[in-house]
Amino acid sequence: MEKRSMPVCFTEKQYKMIEEFAKRNGMLNASQALEKILSK
């Protein structure tokens, strides 16, 4: 996995959506969801 260094900002609503995506896909946290989304 490549190391990412660019900060990403979200509103509270967007972050909650990412957390929900992570939960639905069996991930532990939003960071894992972002890695999956960015890998596509």
Side-chain angles (χ1 to χ4, degrees):
M1 178 173 70
E2 72 183 65
K3 183 164 178 75
R4 299 188 191 279
S5 61
M6 183 184 291
V8 183
C9 299
F10 298 101
T11 65
E12 187 174 338
K13 182 178 178 183
Q14 290 170 326
Y15 193 78
K16 292 287 183 195
M17 289 172 62
I18 294 167
E19 286 181 324
E20 289 300 318
F21 174 84
K23 287 178 187 176
R24 284 194 309 268
N25 289 283
M27 298 171 198
L28 297 176
N29 55 39
S31 294
Q32 287 183 334
L34 288 173
E35 284 297 324
K36 180 171 180 69
I37 292 166
L38 292 173
S39 71
K40 290 186 178 189

